[in-house]
Amino acid sequence: MKLKKLCAFLAAGMLALSLVACTDGNTTATSAESQADSSKAESDAAPTESKGSKIGISMPTKSLERWNRDGSYLEKEFTKAGYEVSLTYSDNKIDQQVKDIEGLIADKVNLLVVAAIDGESLAQVLAEAKSQNIPVIAYDRLIMNTDAISYYVSFDNYTVGKLQGEFVAEKLDLANAGDKKFNIEFTGGDPADNNATFFFNGAMDVIKPYIESGTVVVPSGQTTFEQVGTAQWDTAKALSRFQNILGSYYSDGTQLDAALCSNDSTALGVTQAIQSDYAGTNEVVITGQDGDEANLANIIDGKQTMTVYKAVANEAIATLDLGAAILNNEKPDASLIEKSGWSFDCTYDTSSYDNGAAVIPSYLLVPVTVTKDNIQKELVDTGYYTMGSDGYPHPVQ
Ligand code: GAL
């Protein structure tokens, strides 16, 4: 951080040669704080015509933990960079989100950042945004069937599912199973969320060959996304579905080896069902995604096995730099990544995310697998969480 300040000082003194040396030295910064700092310095260096513009941020709900973190990181980044921010949460209600976005448009925001509750339901309100020349960034979840969005910022969603599938395959050592058979059940996400199929397909592509070879059995027979989806990623729904599965297919003593859950809110329900309704005593491998506080505590306590962590602090930084470029009338492309000097990995993808109207250019960050063994390194040492005196990690907002 000090080095960065020195860089700024030297740059101000027009010592171009020294600046190059400093910039090189700074690319190794890893903590959340230094990432935020480097981005800020970068956006301060960017053209300033757009400073003071209004940013409308529409988040889906406070009831799923991660969106609280997304909202507060986005608000912090845009405010720090000199923008005025209006942040709304829509209580997971589609009509409410439409109203919230209408309100932001009426407030004359200059840019909309939207994480959709239902990817299919915003075409009309976003057409209104487009007619008023308000650019829209689809944040984390793709918004479908609209030509009003110009960019998508997210994580590599297929890889999230792939990491979950690979984790289960490795943990159960499926590749060397011989004649052994393993029982697995799947819990997917919200069918209204375009991400959910990416997660499911990523995991299923890893496990499917083992189902086909007979190494993996799914006693419930529920192997399609339509069968395993969980409306609104709801914990209670995941809990009751899993209680039914355990009651119907495992009450005779059948062993459950893994519960492949797409995210932490569903993993929480599945874990509760296993605690209350599963008769077996083996450790069930349970996957998740997001690093929600309760799930991290379960990982520490050995009740959940892993979560896929997505550094939403960095997602906010990418969104800020993209938003600033759009507002400065640039045409952001792959070069934004290098130009922004991010200290996290990101790919520019122009083929994976077709929203039905167009293939949306996407900035995709990289998710990581977190287990009890690397919580300290991935979540605490990076500055995203602090380790409490209770022995559990707590998010730093
Ligand atoms: C997804 C998101 C996940 C998870 C889920 C529930 O769209 O990518 O990280 O949080 O929603 O909110």
Side-chain angles (χ1 to χ4, degrees):
M1 194 153 70
K2 281 199 181 118
L3 189 59
K4 190 76 198 179
K5 283 189 181 140
L6 180 64
C7 280
F9 179 68
L10 292 176
M14 310 262 190
L15 292 171
L17 217 56
S18 308
L19 177 67
V20 170
C22 285
T23 306
D24 279 346
N26 208 49
T27 53
T28 51
T30 50
S31 79
E33 194 194 343
S34 61
Q35 285 170 8
D37 257 24
S38 71
S39 165
K40 184 182 183 305
E42 200 54 49
S43 62
D44 282 350
T48 51
E49 308 92 71
S50 70
K51 295 292 158 66
S53 299
K54 275 195 195 172
I55 314 295
I57 300 173
S58 169
M59 292 284 114
T61 178
K62 289 193 164 192
S63 66
L64 294 159
E65 183 185 314
R66 71 157 287 187
W67 303 109
N68 296 275
R69 281 184 271 125
D70 290 272
S72 84
Y73 279 124
L74 282 165
E75 186 171 39
K76 195 173 80 187
E77 290 300 332
F78 276 101
T79 307
K80 225 167 44 177
Y83 297 96
E84 194 187 315
V85 173
S86 284
L87 169 63
T88 61
Y89 282 91
S90 309
D91 200 19
N92 251 345
K93 297 194 176 89
I94 298 166
D95 295 354
Q96 182 62 46
Q97 185 161 41
V98 171
K99 273 192 211 132
D100 287 342
I101 296 172
E102 279 168 357
L104 294 169
I105 295 172
D107 266 4
K108 305 223 172 307
V109 296
N110 303 95
L111 171 74
L112 277 166
V113 176
V114 179
I117 294 166
D118 179 336
E120 303 280 350
S121 305
L122 298 178
Q124 212 178 326
V125 68
L126 294 185
E128 179 57 25
K130 189 179 178 192
S131 76
Q132 301 201 23
N133 294 321
I134 303 170
V136 182
I137 297 174
Y139 180 85
D140 204 83
R141 298 171 171 174
L142 189 61
I143 304 169
M144 310 306 287
N145 300 319
T146 167
D147 63 357
I149 59 170
S150 22
Y151 290 95
Y152 177 45
V153 178
S154 193
F155 281 78
D156 181 336
N157 294 303
Y158 180 84
T159 296
V160 170
K162 192 163 160 256
L163 290 175
Q164 294 166 337
E166 285 170 351
F167 184 86
V168 168
E170 272 163 39
K171 198 80 183 153
L172 300 179
D173 199 13
L174 297 180
N176 302 303
D179 291 339
K180 271 200 259 161
K181 293 196 182 307
F182 295 91
N183 294 325
I184 297 185
E185 297 293 342
F186 294 85
T187 299
D190 187 347
D193 178 349
N194 186 61
N195 288 355
T197 44
F198 279 83
F199 303 146
F200 179 77
N201 291 339
M204 192 46 116
D205 284 353
V206 177
I207 303 298
K208 201 169 180 186
Y210 297 109
I211 297 177
E212 285 166 356
S213 70
T215 298
V216 165
V217 178
V218 182
S220 71
Q222 299 181 17
T223 54
T224 64
F225 177 70
E226 289 67 32
Q227 292 170 312
V228 305
T230 312
Q232 301 206 309
W233 300 91
D234 186 62
T235 300
K237 290 193 176 76
L239 165 68
S240 76
R241 172 176 168 268
F242 219 78
Q243 282 173 325
N244 283 335
I245 287 177
L246 291 172
S248 307
Y249 304 99
Y250 293 85
S251 57
D252 61 356
T254 300
Q255 175 164 313
L256 173 66
D257 296 295
L260 211 154
C261 306
S262 284
N263 88 329
D264 279 351
S265 58
T266 55
L268 204 60
V270 167
T271 303
Q272 283 166 19
I274 290 170
Q275 302 281 305
S276 62
D277 289 47
Y278 177 55
T281 52
N282 62 301
E283 186 203 328
V284 182
V285 177
I286 303 176
T287 66
Q289 168 190 194
D290 286 338
D292 286 354
E293 222 172 339
N295 299 75
L296 292 176
N298 278 351
I299 290 175
I300 299 272
D301 290 344
K303 294 180 190 160
Q304 180 174 324
T305 329
M306 66 91 87
T307 188
V308 174
Y309 185 66
K310 305 194 293 197
V312 293
N314 295 339
E315 198 175 4
I317 290 168
T319 306
L320 165 67
D321 288 336
L322 172 62
I326 295 170
L327 289 168
N328 285 321
N329 292 320
E330 292 165 30
K331 296 253 170 296
D333 58 16
S335 65
L336 178 79
I337 297 172
E338 211 177 313
K339 228 162 62 186
S340 301
W342 296 329
S343 50
F344 49 88
D345 289 332
C346 180
T347 54
Y348 183 66
D349 181 314
T350 51
S351 62
S352 302
Y353 289 96
D354 186 338
N355 83 339
V359 177
I360 308 300
S362 307
Y363 293 90
L364 303 176
L365 285 75
V366 181
V368 290
T369 294
V370 168
T371 64
K372 197 173 181 165
D373 294 338
N374 68 354
I375 280 190
Q376 179 70 34
K377 174 173 167 275
E378 294 292 346
L379 300 188
V380 182
D381 295 350
T382 47
Y384 303 132
Y385 294 71
T386 49
M387 192 58 86
S389 52
D390 56 2
Y392 298 117
H394 302 285
V396 175
Q397 299 247 342

